[in-house]
Amino acid sequence: MMLEQNLLEELISISLGEKAPEIVIKNGTVFNVFTKKLEKVDVGIHKGYITSYGDSIKVNQNTRIIDTNGLILVPGFIDGHIHYEVTKLSITMFAKLVLKYGTTAIISGLDETYSVLGKRGVEETINEVNSIPFTLFWGVPSKLPYTIPSSTLAYELGYDQASELLNKNYSWGIWETVAEFITNKDTDVIRSIILANNLHKPIFGCLPLANNSKVNAACLAGVRLDHESYSPEEMYEKARRGMYVMIRESSVTHFLKKNIAIIKEFGIPSDRVGFCTDDVYAKDVIVYGHIDKVVRMAIEEGIAPEDAYRMASYNVSNMYMIDSIVGSISPGKLANIIFLEDFTKVKIKGVMSKGILVSWNGNYIYKFNPPTRPEFILTTFKNARKISENDITVKAKGETAKVLAIEVNDENPFRRKGKIFEVKTVSGEVLADPEKDLLYAVVVERHKGTGKVGTAFVAGFGLKEGAMASSSAPDDNNIVSVGTNKADIVKAVNYIIENNGGMSLVKNGQIILSLPLPIGGIISDQEPEKMAEIENKFDKTTKEMGSKLSSAISTMTFLPITAIPDYALTDKGLVDCINQKIISPVLA
């Protein structure tokens, strides 16, 4: 997104009225994010950039005139923090999912991609997104793995890798700087922070449930913004110390209605607040929308429309220091423009991205064609070792045992407490008991052939039969599985290994539903509507198998995340996230 000299000189000539732009948008009312006013002006666009803002723009016979007939123009929405890979769609298909809902840019760390495909995979993604009318601002992950203690990845990232990547012109800062990396004074992360500060690139925080001393430390280390707040009180403590904060409304966690109090009740200026989704699924975007949904919700909660639109565009660009490129309809910015029929109801008529009119009346004009995939992207299970029932065995002494299970729920799938069960042992082994809602959970290492299998127990899933598994599982994207019996878990996991990635659902030893994820074992070039259909089938089928959760397989995929207390599961075993150590699921 760096302008070359010849192009910049050409754009300047057009802005001066010496030449005509390729496109002029006429008879529109532009929402000016700087004045917070609606202004009737024409907009000139050339080679993807806004060149002119006014009433007397030079045209010639080659200029394309777009007469909006009074539509309102607002800046393209920016998702301030998203793991786009959680959609299980390639970046091209993800763009197709969200563009018609007004999202023209995202900030992402591509950490799921890096964990399985390394720097080469990240560069493939960046090259791919640069070839389509969509914009991705990449932040270098603070460190990989994020897990504490460290789980197994195909590619790790420490200071040596970060120092190279932070100097690239396609990196925009440090992504997902976990609070514990700062408080533990992790040498790699501290050195990366110093380098980023010297390069004037911002530090993106990840400070869930952080107490005030942790927030102090993060601010001191230069963390500019944070997306991970579970209450308005927590968000306020970050904001009052100078951080920008984001309100997250995802497919998994729904915080807007609660955390909008940061503005309404705590008095933090809306200028300091942005929007993000973090994790979304195709099935939800197709029904409810993407950032447009968040803007709509904010307006319904009493936020002035002018402020809500800024929170979805300019505010995010400002906090990430990318406001010279996106976030406003003004000269020099990418021509990312949403055409609205209704300002307060966020009713979208059409979307332009990088100067290309991609959709109109909810239908795509632009054709999305994913690139041919190189072999290294499609063969990431070469080192994966199939498992047997012996790998899932949990031993215990005595006729009974107390077992600590990871308990999940729909209210907050990320915040996992522990639940203690007292069970009878069978030949010195603890078995799952679906009637008590005590199920097996395993994470199978698939990157380096270590053969490690982390085994624990979970509660809250409610399955009465069968097993499910997925190789799309942040933060390490090993294979995670939950099931009622060992045989079905083995079948579900080994099926994924045999097929180079995906999701599987097993009942009575038979695969009853599957989803191929050939790209790194985490994403695919599936059409968004088809992906949504398959996601809904997984949810429906797991409920038929007894699940109490709205999306059992989605909740399962987040079990390996250790950045949020209290418990997690990686290939190393059951993790006590608070004390940052591996523990046994069988209590002494």
Side-chain angles (χ1 to χ4, degrees), residues 475-493:
D475 281 318
D476 51 25
N477 293 295
N478 286 307
I479 303 170
V480 61
S481 179
V482 166
T484 60
N485 65 87
K486 294 195 286 186
D488 282 349
I489 288 177
V490 169
K491 180 71 174 182
V493 169

Side-chain angles (χ1 to χ4, degrees), residues 251-424:
S251 288
V252 183
T253 49
H254 306 285
F255 286 138
L256 185 138
K257 288 188 176 182
K258 177 168 63 174
N259 285 355
I260 203 72
I262 187 73
I263 299 168
K264 294 169 61 179
E265 298 173 25
F266 288 79
I268 294 296
S270 63
D271 290 5
R272 306 292 296 180
V273 184
F275 292 141
C276 74
T277 64
D278 205 353
D279 304 297
V280 291
Y281 301 119
K283 63 186 175 69
D284 297 320
V285 172
I286 287 172
V287 174
Y288 303 110
H290 191 226
I291 298 296
D292 62 316
K293 166 200 167 184
V294 185
V295 175
R296 200 174 297 115
M297 288 179 67
I299 294 171
E300 290 169 356
E301 291 298 315
I303 299 299
E306 294 81 3
D307 291 332
Y309 282 104
R310 280 166 54 94
M311 291 161 72
S313 56
Y314 177 69
N315 289 8
V316 177
S317 71
N318 187 44
M319 66 177 71
Y320 279 100
M321 299 167 62
I322 53 175
D323 52 305
S324 63
I325 302 169
V326 292
S328 64
I329 300 176
S330 59
K333 312 303 185 294
L334 289 176
N336 294 347
I337 299 171
I338 304 169
F339 300 86
L340 295 175
E341 293 182 289
D342 192 302
F343 192 62
T344 57
K345 294 182 180 178
V346 200
K347 188 176 180 182
I348 297 175
K349 180 74 171 179
V351 177
M352 174 179 282
S353 187
K354 291 182 180 176
I356 297 172
L357 197 61
V358 294
S359 71
W360 201 257
N361 288 329
N363 298 312
Y364 279 113
I365 301 166
Y366 180 82
K367 301 295 183 184
F368 296 85
N369 297 307
T372 302
R373 304 294 175 187
E375 184 182 358
F376 85 96
I377 280 178
L378 305 174
T379 53
T380 58
F381 285 77
K382 292 178 179 179
N383 296 324
R385 183 180 72 81
K386 290 185 179 180
I387 64 169
S388 68
E389 292 186 27
N390 288 335
D391 293 309
I392 308 173
T393 301
V394 178
K395 292 290 187 179
K397 296 179 180 179
E399 296 180 354
T400 62
K402 285 187 176 180
V403 175
L404 174 65
I406 303 171
E407 187 174 30
V408 300
N409 60 69
D410 261 345
E411 184 178 351
N412 192 341
F414 287 130
R415 185 75 193 272
R416 300 171 299 266
K417 298 284 188 178
K419 183 176 181 179
I420 296 175
F421 289 81
E422 188 160 349
V423 297
K424 292 182 178 180

Side-chain angles (χ1 to χ4, degrees), residues 122-156:
V122 166
E123 291 180 336
E124 286 279 341
T125 304
I126 291 170
N127 290 336
E128 181 179 346
V129 78
N130 286 344
S131 70
I132 62 175
F134 194 65
T135 306
L136 183 152
F137 294 93
W138 180 57
V140 180
S142 58
K143 183 176 181 177
L144 291 175
Y146 295 134
T147 46
I148 303 174
S150 297
S151 55
T152 307
L153 305 182
Y155 294 89
E156 297 183 354

Side-chain angles (χ1 to χ4, degrees), residues 101-119:
Y101 300 104
T103 303
T104 56
I106 61 173
I107 290 90
S108 185
L110 303 181
D111 35 6
E112 317 305 334
T113 297
Y114 191 101
S115 70
V116 295
L117 298 170
K119 173 189 170 185

Side-chain angles (χ1 to χ4, degrees), residues 33 59 158 165 194 215 225 247 275 296 305 339 342 357-358 376 386 403 458 461 513 541 567:
V33 297
V59 299
L165 295 168
I194 292 170
V215 177
L225 57 100
I247 294 175
F275 292 141
R296 200 174 297 115
F339 300 86
D342 192 302
L357 197 61
V358 294
F376 85 96
K386 290 185 179 180
V403 175
V458 289
F461 281 92
L513 190 60
T541 308
Y567 298 98

